[in-house]
Amino acid sequence: MSLAKRIIPCLDVDNGRVVKGVQFVDIRDAGNPVEVAKRYDEQGADEITFLDITATADGRDTMVHLVEEVASQVFIPLTVGGGIRCVEDIRTMLNAGADKVAINSAAIFNPAFVKQASDAFGSQCIVVAIDAKKVSAIGEDNKWEIFTHGGRKETGIDAIAWAKRMECLGAGEILLTSMDRDGTKIGFDLELTRAIADSIRIPVIASGGVGELEHLAKGITEGHAEAVLAASIFHFGQHTVEEAKLAMQAEGIEVRL
Amino acid sequence: MDQKLVAVIDYGMGNLRSVAKAAEHVAPDNVHILVTNNPEEVACADAIIFPGQGAAKACMQALHDTGMIHPIQKAAQEKPFLGICMGLQVLMSHSDENQGINCLNVIPGHVKHFELEENSPLKIPHMGWNQIHQEQDHALWQNIPQDSRFYFVHSYYVQPENQAMITGTTTHGITFPAVLSHKNVFAIQAHPEKSAEHGLQLFNNFLAWDGQ
């Protein structure tokens, strides 16, 4: 009897629609976010994450309404990320019915924002999203750094040191995406995931690269993540969340069924 | 059919909307869910839901600022009362959070931080779906299977002086009280509003409960 490892479907939302691109190109429409969220809830998703990739202010309002609509029909934890830049953004999303917000680039521009946010709302609702990419060459010791702008812009910040700092500033959880693996469907960067998970006491959500069910279990058993996040294997009917849980259970992982 | 008014206490902390939405989702037509920061409405409600999240000190401060301390203490003596998460912890006498703070003293006991061994692989906060073992029968357990999973997010847990109040336990490194009940009060560390069907069932049971 213990805490179940979590499976978190992730919905990238652009102007009110679920989209999924492969490495930020070839964006396919994957449906109405409310309908998709309800479907995943029925399949036994442990949480749902929405990442707002809309660039416009109008689109932001759409996101707020969408969260309100989902929160009145789906009674599992909801995380919203994308464009969270100030305390007021967080308050708006929590009031709309989100349980957690994911802070990404705003944490890099202003790390004190993470502390401000966790002091105001509690660590339990502050997820820091880290986009990391390997910068060491083959044969060198592993080293990963933080990238912004969808993996295009380097910051020179060491990923492990950054995760520790975010924990120290009050992050309740780390959403860790490998920019090397995102969209590739070849599995998580397990070395990266394990390096971060073993360095901090707060939970790590592994993200980036899931293409097969077996990748999910590896994120837990080899990556030491508390939760695994995936998008495209669920969106296009390749697998249900329940199938994913049964596959994890078959690997000896405790799941909520 | 008698009309029933259920007050969800709003003291400026936490995600009340989720709690109100979940209760509304299962409420029969004669039950009205009212989110309120008005002590008089709390006084005249038939049942009380006391949600909460964040830190104990900020929570107690917000209760003080909104004039809710006495109305909550009174309601917890006399009508069906559901405490959720921080709404459980601040019912205790004292919390170790924020260098120590006195709480509502509705339930004698303390709130302590999870102390895990240095090399423990377990994470704090205790976040996610864990099982609640029902330690005794209760009207609010109706149609909820033994050891069902609920969603938790917390770093502190309660220790009541009176062990007979422990109505549910959960294990995360240690086994801790996840649910306390005493007369008309039922208070749970997990978030039923985020616990899918079992959580909705708990609200359903609470709305039907006479507090006996």
Side-chain angles (χ1 to χ4, degrees):
Chain A
M1 239 176 76
S2 65
L3 197 59
K5 302 301 179 189
R6 290 170 278 156
I7 294 187
I8 307 176
C10 178
L11 282 56
D12 287 352
V13 179
D14 184 11
N15 278 307
R17 297 290 292 180
V18 180
V19 295
K20 186 62 197 176
V22 177
Q23 288 175 324
F24 293 89
V25 291
D26 184 27
I27 289 182
R28 290 169 71 179
D29 187 286
N32 174 322
V34 180
E35 296 306 316
V36 175
K38 279 167 75 172
R39 187 168 79 228
Y40 293 152
D41 175 38
E42 284 160 12
Q43 292 175 4
D46 296 310
E47 291 182 36
I48 296 175
T49 291
F50 297 91
L51 291 180
D52 188 6
I53 62 168
T54 311
T56 62
D58 283 356
R60 292 267 149 67
D61 290 341
T62 306
M63 193 68 191
V64 175
H65 295 307
L66 193 154
V67 171
E68 283 176 355
E69 204 179 335
V70 173
S72 60
Q73 300 177 57
V74 171
F75 300 101
I76 58 175
L78 306 175
T79 301
V80 180
I84 302 291
R85 295 199 167 79
C86 61
V87 163
E88 206 42 51
D89 290 340
I90 299 176
R91 197 186 311 276
T92 300
M93 285 305 176
L94 296 182
N95 284 342
D99 299 282
K100 311 180 198 179
V101 293
I103 301 173
N104 192 339
S105 46
I108 294 164
F109 300 136
N110 177 18
F113 174 47
V114 174
K115 167 122 180 75
Q116 197 188 358
S118 63
D119 283 349
F121 304 103
S123 291
Q124 83 288 338
C125 65
I126 306 301
V127 181
V128 171
I130 295 180
D131 294 343
K133 215 168 173 173
K134 194 181 247 190
V135 294
S136 50
I138 294 168
E140 290 178 356
D141 285 349
N142 279 327
K143 184 171 171 59
W144 297 269
E145 288 183 356
I146 307 298
F147 281 69
T148 60
H149 298 81
R152 294 190 304 277
K153 205 167 169 185
E154 63 181 349
T155 64
I157 302 169
D158 179 80
I160 296 172
W162 181 247
K164 286 184 179 171
R165 186 170 176 203
M166 291 299 101
E167 175 181 32
C168 178
L169 290 175
E173 203 166 31
I174 298 292
L175 167 54
L176 176 65
T177 303
S178 161
M179 301 313 287
D180 298 311
R181 298 299 178 91
D182 199 32
T184 64
K185 298 179 182 278
I186 60 169
F188 297 120
D189 181 340
L190 296 171
E191 290 181 320
L192 165 68
T193 308
R194 188 168 56 240
I196 303 270
D198 288 354
S199 301
I200 55 180
R201 298 301 297 264
I202 56 176
V204 169
I205 304 165
S207 159
V210 174
E212 306 289 339
L213 290 184
E214 62 178 25
H215 295 155
L216 296 169
K218 283 192 172 153
I220 307 285
T221 55
E222 295 179 32
H224 299 176
E226 277 294 304
V228 287
L229 181 137
S232 48
I233 61 161
F234 300 131
H235 291 344
F236 303 108
Q238 186 184 345
H239 292 291
T240 64
V241 177
E242 192 182 12
E243 285 168 6
K245 288 192 165 181
L246 291 170
M248 280 174 50
Q249 192 182 46
E251 295 296 318
I253 298 167
E254 194 154 344
V255 293
R256 176 180 74 107
L257 285 169
Chain B
M1 223 177 180
D2 283 351
Q3 299 293 305
K4 185 170 177 179
L5 183 68
V6 177
V8 178
I9 298 178
D10 175 9
Y11 51 102
M13 294 283 290
N15 194 354
L16 304 162
R17 186 187 163 87
S18 295
V19 171
K21 285 285 167 198
E24 278 164 10
H25 194 77
V26 296
D29 288 344
N30 65 316
V31 174
H32 301 279
I33 309 294
L34 175 71
V35 176
T36 179
N37 60 4
N38 182 336
E40 286 171 16
E41 287 181 328
V42 171
C44 70
D46 298 297
I48 302 294
I49 298 176
F50 180 38
Q53 54 181 226
K57 187 175 180 183
C59 183
M60 286 304 297
Q61 185 65 47
L63 289 170
H64 184 266
D65 293 347
T66 51
M68 279 294 176
I69 288 183
H70 184 65
I72 289 173
Q73 287 170 328
K74 190 162 185 295
Q77 302 301 328
E78 54 194 29
K79 48 189 145 199
F81 189 103
L82 175 62
I84 298 172
C85 192
M86 187 50 70
L88 157 66
Q89 294 188 5
V90 296
L91 292 180
M92 310 306 287
S93 324
H94 183 269
S95 171
D96 287 347
E97 197 173 3
N98 309 117
Q99 289 84 49
I101 180 155
N102 288 326
C103 297
L104 294 168
N105 199 27
V106 167
I107 298 175
H110 294 273
V111 184
K112 299 175 71 71
H113 193 258
F114 276 106
E115 297 300 341
L116 299 180
E117 289 172 21
E118 188 60 31
N119 294 322
S120 171
L122 297 177
K123 299 289 186 177
I124 300 296
H126 172 227
M127 183 186 295
W129 297 80
N130 207 336
Q131 291 168 296
I132 298 182
H133 188 76
Q134 299 168 15
E135 299 286 350
Q136 50 181 296
D137 288 342
H138 196 283
L140 268 63
W141 289 143
Q142 197 183 356
N143 294 329
I144 298 176
Q146 178 62 290
D147 297 326
S148 290
R149 288 188 186 272
F150 284 76
Y151 186 77
F152 288 83
V153 187
H154 62 124
S155 301
Y156 290 78
Y157 65 95
V158 297
Q159 280 198 322
E161 284 173 16
N162 181 356
Q163 302 287 306
M165 291 184 181
I166 299 174
T167 308
T169 56
T170 294
T171 300
H172 184 62
I174 56 163
T175 295
F176 67 90
V179 177
L180 304 182
S181 69
H182 181 59
K183 296 180 183 168
N184 55 305
V185 174
F186 184 97
I188 179 166
Q189 181 63 64
H191 287 274
E193 76 278 14
K194 291 292 162 184
S195 296
E197 78 261 43
H198 301 314
L200 292 175
Q201 182 65 47
L202 191 91
F203 280 112
N204 190 44
N205 296 342
F206 177 71
L207 297 179
W209 187 39
D210 60 4
Q212 300 294 311

